[in-house]
Amino acid sequence: MATKPKLHYPNGRGRMESVRWVLAAAGVEFDEEFLETKEQLQKLQDGNHLLFQQVPMVEIDGMKLVQTRSILHYIAEKHHLFGKDLKERTLIDMYVEGTLDLLELIIMHPFLKPDDQQKEVVNMAQKAIIRYFPVFEKVLREHGQRFLVGNQLSLADVILLQTILALEEKIPNILSAFPHLQEFTVKISNIPTIKKFLEPGSKKKPPPDDIYVRTVYNIFMP
Amino acid sequence: MAGKPKLHYFNGRGRMESIRWLLASAGVEFEEKFIDTPEDLDKLKNDGHLMFLQVPMVEIDGMKMVQTRAILNYIATKYNLYGKDIKERALIDMYTEGMADLNDMILMLPMCPPDQKEAKIAQIKEKTTNRYLPVFEKVLKSHGQDYLVGNRLSRADIQLVELLYYVEEVDPSLMANFPLLKALKTRVSNLPTVKKFLQPGSQRKPPISEESLEKAKKIFRIQ
């Protein structure tokens, strides 16, 4: 019997959260081993479990997968979240890459100097409203379907929903000019596997707080 | 008949160079339309040709593709340089993502403030010799094959060899303890398509000059 994937990362969102989202959306149960100390990271590194000495790392199907995008691609392909052909896959790729650029700003935000954090929220909002959301609003408006690509759930929908919800935590009215994205948010959130992930008690992690930031510094700073 | 892919970027390496390497290695002829002024970039944006208002952009097979990784993924798949199954793809992905991390450090070096440059170069050298090159040397050693994945040429080999040329530009001595990587570099460089791309007069771009850097900063409205 196949064992569950096992995620190695600190107990917080960071770069692993997208992986948690996609596994959850695909209905795949997983285990987590939380990194709390430098010594634990050292142990993983010394044991040659981390190809480039870094996390995220996911033990899955006999592999120790590292590099966030590799992990996301593997899970997406395995669980039919990557489109039905090369053209759909390519659209999904472009959408995901753009969304990950925006998500990157959110991931890095807690680690900015406090003085820079407020300015960065403004930057995130501008990028979302001017560069990213209009693209997806247009895609949804033009084909009128529930999902971004190929009329079925894909990696692109999951990563976009993750990003929208994370942005809404900081900027509650961020979707005010995007009616199709508002509808998208509701519809994708209501997919049973995703709905379950959004309920309390799931493996979805809360917004990063001071404890998380301190833990990360303790583990990763030399 | 499909036209040649057309690359939209400034006349320099930047994020487009990996795409040039991959196309050239796959034996695909391509055209380039260089962005020379901020107005050129504005026009591309205003005409709606750039999905996220950014370059690289490659016109290929009826699409205006953006996002470097998406473009590389498409080319690699189309020209059978992406492994034979999901497991090979996972290995190729891991390797190329690691390479991209190191490549980004080297790529961003010209943008580094002068007072931080020395420290940045030291960091690049340290990561090269301690984190990245040992991994790929070990992969080659472990299976003794000519290529990183699946005993045949893939994007992983092409992207690694490209990176090794940049590593040499930073400091040739960095390659000293990696005999299998040196052999891979020679082997891949001697493939007819790659050999052609390495010759003068090809579309391969040189390291960025001070003048090109200033021009690029103007185009992208940096600083």
Side-chain angles (χ1 to χ4, degrees), chain B residues 189 191-204:
Chain B
S189 300
L191 296 171
T193 50
V194 181
K195 195 168 188 170
K196 197 167 158 208
F197 187 60
L198 289 167
Q199 276 159 5
S202 81
Q203 285 158 301
R204 188 166 71 114

Side-chain angles (χ1 to χ4, degrees), chain B residues 100-111:
Chain B
D101 282 350
L102 180 58
N103 196 33
D104 272 358
M105 286 184 227
I106 297 173
L107 173 74
M108 294 309 293
L109 199 51
M111 298 294 298

Side-chain angles (χ1 to χ4, degrees), chain A residues 13-222:
Chain A
R13 290 181 181 176
R15 297 188 181 290
M16 188 63 100
E17 193 71 351
S18 299
V19 176
R20 297 182 185 109
W21 266 90
V22 177
L23 283 170
V28 178
E29 282 181 33
F30 55 91
D31 291 328
E32 301 197 81
E33 199 162 296
F34 294 125
L35 276 179
E36 279 155 3
T37 64
K38 206 194 257 347
E39 289 68 41
Q40 279 175 286
L41 176 64
Q42 194 68 54
K43 190 156 176 241
L44 282 174
Q45 291 169 333
D46 293 343
N48 286 317
H49 300 299
L50 308 175
L51 189 67
F52 300 112
Q53 315 308 327
Q54 295 166 314
V55 287
M57 187 272 274
V58 176
E59 295 180 73
I60 184 169
D61 298 337
M63 297 178 289
K64 291 183 167 66
L65 282 186
V66 297
Q67 292 289 345
T68 313
R69 282 168 172 89
S70 313
I71 300 165
L72 292 175
H73 283 182
Y74 183 81
I75 297 165
E77 188 169 344
K78 186 179 175 194
H79 295 283
H80 311 292
L81 293 170
F82 224 161
K84 70 175 196 295
D85 57 27
L86 180 58
K87 285 240 160 166
E88 283 193 358
R89 187 177 177 137
T90 298
L91 277 177
I92 291 167
D93 243 351
M94 283 196 282
Y95 298 163
V96 168
E97 285 298 307
T99 312
L100 286 176
D101 280 350
L102 181 56
L103 187 63
E104 182 74 12
L105 302 179
I106 298 167
I107 291 172
M108 295 309 297
H109 186 256
F111 302 98
L112 296 174
K113 292 201 276 277
D115 289 343
D116 293 334
Q117 283 187 1
Q118 188 44 43
K119 209 171 33 158
E120 186 63 5
V121 172
V122 174
N123 179 38
M124 275 182 217
Q126 280 178 341
K127 287 255 153 59
I129 291 168
I130 295 170
R131 180 172 290 193
Y132 297 106
F133 288 172
V135 174
F136 304 122
E137 179 78 6
K138 185 175 179 214
V139 166
L140 292 168
R141 191 181 65 239
E142 283 185 351
H143 63 43
Q145 290 166 6
R146 189 153 55 122
F147 305 102
L148 284 169
V149 179
N151 212 9
Q152 60 176 352
L153 184 70
S154 77
L155 186 63
D157 304 298
V158 178
I159 304 297
L160 180 57
L161 179 62
Q162 176 197 357
T163 305
I164 286 172
L165 294 181
L167 275 171
E168 276 185 338
E169 284 170 355
K170 296 190 186 324
I171 311 147
N173 64 342
I174 192 92
L175 285 186
S176 55
F178 302 99
H180 291 88
L181 284 178
Q182 288 174 34
E183 204 182 320
F184 169 86
T185 303
V186 172
K187 286 192 173 152
I188 307 300
S189 297
N190 278 317
I191 291 171
T193 48
I194 294 177
K195 191 171 185 175
K196 195 167 161 208
F197 187 61
L198 290 171
E199 279 162 6
S202 82
K203 294 202 162 82
K204 184 170 179 286
K205 300 294 173 272
D209 58 12
D210 287 336
I211 296 173
Y212 172 69
V213 172
R214 229 175 314 131
T215 306
V216 169
Y217 276 127
N218 287 340
I219 297 171
F220 297 107
M221 285 297 120

Side-chain angles (χ1 to χ4, degrees), chain B residues 173-184:
Chain B
S173 73
L174 294 172
M175 296 275 300
N177 295 325
F178 303 102
L180 296 177
L181 292 182
K182 279 196 237 175
L184 178 74

